[in-house]
Amino acid sequence: MGAYYDEIEIEDMAWDEVKGVYHYPCPCGDRFEISRKQLANCEDIATCPSCSLIIRVVYDPLDFEDESPDDEGSASQESEEDEEEDDNSDDDQFEDALEKLTLTEPSAVLVAAAAA
Amino acid sequence: METQTSYLRLLAAGSNARGQLANGSDYDSHTFTECHFINCTQGTLPHNTLGILQLATGANHTLALLEFGDGRRELWGCGDGRKGQLGPEYMGQLTEFTPISIPLYQTYASQGYTCCLIAAAWETSYLVLKSPSRSNVVISMGSNDFGALGVGTKQATATPAVVSFDHLTIEGHSTNPDELVVESIAAGPRHVILHVRAGFNNEDTLIGWGLARHGQLGDTKIVNYDRPYIISLDVSSDPVQTCSLGLQHTIICHQSGRTTAFGSNKKGQLHRMDSWGRVRQVGCTWNGTYLLRDDDENTLISTGSNAHGQLGRESQVEENGVTVGPVEFTLSHDGKLPSLRSLACGSEHVMAVISPSGSSDMEVWGWGWNEHGNLGLDHMDDVLKPIKIWPARGHALEGRIARVWAGNGTSWILLQI
C-alpha cells in the first residue's frame, strides 16, 4: 500500500524504442515511464505525467548494470518469451561488434577495453 | 414539418488527453459534456441513429458501433490513432467521433459482412464481422505490444489484420474455418478473450491472447500468447455467460450464476469468488471484481483494491488486508436499497444505473478514483461510497438513461430523450 499505486515487475512493462523508456499503463490513459538509465541508477519509481499516481518497478539491477548512454533500445519489444531479454539483445550487439572487429582493428581495442 | 420525437445524446467526462471524449478538445472534462459527431448538429448523434450497440475504450481512443434505423451499422471512433488503433486513415488525433474506414473491413463488407462486436485493449482495437451462414471474421489493428494483435510478432504494428484461428484444435478437430461463431469479445488493457462456438457440437470455447504471465489466460507457464490460444476450462455442464477482464485477472460468469476466476490475486481481486452464486452480471476494474447478484437484496459485491474507494464501502485498509462485501448504496428515506439495473467498470472507478426504491426513474451513481474528474462531479476527489452523478446538479432528468460505459478515467452516459 503506502504511496505506490502498484508495484510492477519489469516483465510487465513494454519498451518504447522511440522514447527509450519502459512503460506501464496508468488508469488515466497515460503511462508510467522509466528509462534504462534510471533503472541503472537504482531509481525504481516510475511516474505518470498526467496524474499523481506512481509505481515502483521490481527488477534485477544486474540486468542494467552495464547501461551506458549509448546503449539504446536493446530490450526486445513485443514477444518476451523469457526474462533474459536484455542478455539476448546484448548478444546481438556483441555479435555485430564481433563482425566489425574483423574490419577495424583500432575499434577492437576500444571495445575490448570497454568490456573489460 | 416532421419533428423528431426522440433523439440520443452521448455525454462523457474524465481523461481527454488525446480527444477520446470527443468534446472537440484535448482537455480533461470534470463534468459530463456532450460528445461531438462530425458533421452532425452539436450534441446530437448522426441522423437516424437507433442506438450505440457497443462502446469500447482504450488508453486514449474510443470506438462506437452505431446502429441505424435501416439496420445499417457504422464504426465511429475518436482519440489517439498514432498506433493505428483507429485504422490506417486516422494516424493522428481525433477530437470528434468520426466514421472509421478500413480497407480490409470494406473488402468483407462488400461480401455481406457486418461489424457486430468491438473491443479495445490498451492501444489495440478488435472488430468481429459476421455474415449469415459464414464463419465470423476477427480483425485487429493497432499496437502489437505483448502480442495484442494476435497475429504473431512478425506483423508490423498498425496494419489491420485478420486474426487466424486455423492453428487451433477444438474437440480434437482442427477448427473448421466455416464454423467459428463469436458470441462475445472482451478486452482488458493487455489481454483479450473471445467466447466462441465451434466444432460439431457448437460447444462453448474460450480463446484468448495477449499477456498471460499472471494466469489471466488460465496458464501461468507462458509469458504471453501472440496468437489465439484455447483457454482450458470445462464448460460442458455450465456454459459461459459472460467474460470480464481486469488488468491481470479474468472472471467468467456461467449460466448457473457461479463464476470462475483466474489470474492475479495480488490485490484480492479473486477473493472468495467461488463462494458466490446467483451472479447475473460481472464487472472488472483493473484490480477489482464486482458481482451483481440476483438475490432479494439485489446486492453488488465488491472485492480488490480499495486505495481510492473503488470498492464503494468501508474496508480496513491494511497491509495484505483483503475484504469482500456489498457496495454501500445510500438507503432511501424508507430505509430501502435502490434497485440496481446495470454496472460499468472503468480502470479504477465504477458506475451503476439504479432506480431509487419505489420509483421507475433511473439515475447513474458512481464511485472510486476521480483524479481526472471522471465522475463528472466537477471535482477531482476520490469518492469512497456511491453517490449520484447523473442527473448532475442543476440538470433535470431528461429522457431515460439508455446505457452507461466506463473507460480509463472516462465515464459515458447515453441518454434517450
Side-chain angles (χ1 to χ4, degrees):
Chain A
M1 274 301 181
Y4 304 126
Y5 164 66
D6 208 343
E7 295 194 345
I8 301 301
E9 292 160 315
I10 191 140
E11 291 82 4
D12 286 333
M13 300 186 83
W15 170 253
D16 184 328
E17 183 75 40
V18 173
K19 284 185 79 174
V21 292
Y22 289 100
H23 60 89
Y24 186 81
C26 175
C28 74
D30 204 328
R31 50 194 214 180
F32 300 104
E33 296 182 340
I34 192 162
S35 70
R36 291 176 62 84
K37 214 155 190 268
Q38 283 175 284
L39 294 169
N41 288 337
C42 290
E43 293 170 37
D44 60 359
I45 305 297
T47 57
C48 172
S50 298
C51 61
S52 69
L53 301 181
I54 59 173
I55 58 169
R56 182 175 159 262
V57 179
V58 177
Y59 68 105
D60 184 352
L62 294 175
D63 289 337
F64 296 88
E65 217 176 39
D66 54 357
E67 170 67 21
S68 76
D70 297 333
D71 200 331
E72 287 181 0
S74 49
S76 65
Q77 306 96 302
E78 291 86 11
S79 176
E80 291 155 1
E81 295 299 330
D82 54 55
E83 300 178 16
E84 306 298 317
E85 73 230 37
D86 294 313
D87 293 340
N88 284 340
S89 35
D90 283 349
D91 288 346
D92 290 343
Q93 294 196 341
F94 187 59
E95 282 171 14
D96 289 344
L98 272 178
E99 287 183 37
K100 287 174 187 165
L101 275 176
T102 60
L103 297 174
T104 47
E105 281 190 19
S107 299
V109 173
L110 286 171
V111 169
Chain B
M1 184 169 81
E2 187 185 295
T3 37
Q4 209 169 350
T5 50
S6 158
Y7 64 95
L8 295 167
R9 268 173 80 211
L10 181 64
L11 308 174
S15 275
N16 191 33
R18 297 277 167 196
Q20 61 263 46
L21 295 186
N23 65 15
S25 82
D26 54 10
Y27 296 113
D28 287 0
S29 180
H30 300 170
T31 56
F32 282 103
T33 55
E34 291 169 337
C35 298
H36 300 184
F37 287 77
I38 203 166
N39 295 330
C40 298
T41 312
Q42 169 99 11
T44 66
L45 270 69
H47 177 66
N48 213 17
T49 305
L50 212 57
I52 297 180
L53 291 173
Q54 306 221 294
L55 192 93
T57 52
N60 293 285
H61 77 292
T62 311
L63 297 172
L65 186 61
L66 271 54
E67 183 177 44
F68 294 89
D70 57 4
R72 233 176 354 110
R73 292 176 184 185
E74 285 181 1
L75 180 67
W76 290 54
C78 67
D80 186 9
R82 291 171 302 162
K83 292 275 175 74
Q85 60 269 62
L86 294 178
E89 192 177 339
Y90 298 110
M91 298 288 286
Q93 172 177 309
L94 295 172
T95 58
E96 295 183 298
F97 274 113
T98 306
I100 299 298
S101 92
I102 306 163
L104 182 60
Y105 174 21
Q106 294 310 323
T107 306
Y108 283 99
S110 65
Q111 297 169 27
Y113 279 86
T114 312
C115 183
C116 294
L117 302 170
I118 58 173
W122 190 240
E123 291 174 317
T124 310
S125 301
Y126 304 97
L127 319 181
V128 177
L129 312 184
K130 301 191 179 211
S131 175
S133 321
R134 291 152 90 178
S135 188
N136 296 176
V137 172
V138 179
I139 292 176
S140 63
M141 57 193 189
S143 165
N144 201 19
D145 283 347
F146 301 102
L149 292 179
V151 295
T153 50
K154 292 192 173 53
Q155 162 80 32
T157 61
T159 319
V162 174
V163 180
S164 167
F165 300 89
D166 294 347
H167 59 288
L168 298 176
T169 304
I170 297 176
E171 296 184 294
H173 308 275
S174 294
T175 52
N176 184 336
D178 289 337
E179 291 179 359
L180 194 77
V181 175
V182 179
E183 297 284 333
S184 71
I185 179 170
R190 289 294 188 212
H191 69 301
V192 57
I193 293 181
L194 279 67
H195 173 207
V196 309
R197 295 194 191 282
F200 284 123
N201 297 325
N202 260 351
E203 268 202 11
D204 267 345
T205 306
L206 293 179
I207 296 175
W209 63 90
L211 189 65
R213 65 186 294 270
H214 296 279
Q216 59 264 65
L217 293 176
D219 184 338
T220 50
K221 293 187 287 294
I222 305 292
V223 172
N224 68 269
Y225 293 98
D226 57 24
R227 287 185 193 279
Y229 157 81
I230 294 176
I231 296 167
S232 169
L233 183 68
D234 180 13
V235 293
S236 48
S237 55
D238 197 358
V240 171
Q241 193 175 300
T242 58
C243 306
S244 304
L245 277 59
L247 182 51
Q248 296 177 349
H249 74 294
T250 301
I251 309 289
I252 308 299
C253 185
H254 298 268
Q255 283 184 9
S256 68
R258 69 173 182 91
T259 60
T260 302
F262 37 90
S264 171
N265 192 27
K266 198 171 79 168
K267 303 281 180 116
Q269 57 268 55
L270 308 184
H271 190 59
R272 287 186 58 200
M273 275 303 117
D274 51 3
S275 57
W276 303 106
R278 301 178 71 178
V279 174
R280 62 178 173 89
Q281 196 180 350
V282 177
C284 291
T285 52
W286 280 13
N287 296 291
T289 303
Y290 300 78
L291 308 179
L292 186 54
R293 299 188 72 218
D294 182 18
D295 57 11
D296 298 329
E297 299 272 295
N298 197 208
T299 333
L300 177 63
I301 302 290
S302 65
T303 187
S305 170
N306 200 25
H308 296 275
Q310 301 94 316
L311 298 189
R313 56 180 172 82
E314 302 282 351
S315 78
Q316 301 289 82
V317 180
E318 53 188 84
E319 209 65 45
N320 297 322
V322 179
T323 61
V324 62
V327 174
E328 292 170 21
F329 287 89
T330 312
L331 303 180
S332 55
H333 60 272
D334 54 356
K336 296 223 172 63
L337 284 169
S339 175
L340 299 181
R341 296 183 175 276
S342 65
L343 187 64
C345 290
S347 51
E348 295 290 4
H349 74 292
V350 187
M351 299 157 74
V353 178
I354 67 137
S355 288
S357 170
S359 162
S360 58
D361 288 344
M362 287 196 279
E363 300 173 348
V364 183
W365 286 46
W367 65 95
W369 188 59
N370 185 34
E371 189 172 341
H372 290 264
N374 41 296
L375 293 177
L377 296 165
D378 209 10
H379 68 73
M380 303 191 304
D381 302 324
D382 293 343
V383 173
L384 307 186
K385 287 196 192 180
I387 63 171
K388 185 166 73 169
I389 62 175
W390 190 266
R393 199 171 287 183
H395 289 258
L397 177 64
E398 287 178 80
R400 68 173 193 91
I401 293 159
R403 279 292 289 274
V404 296
W405 296 271
N408 296 304
T410 61
S411 301
W412 306 79
I413 303 175
L414 181 66
L415 298 174
Q416 179 110 42
I417 302 188

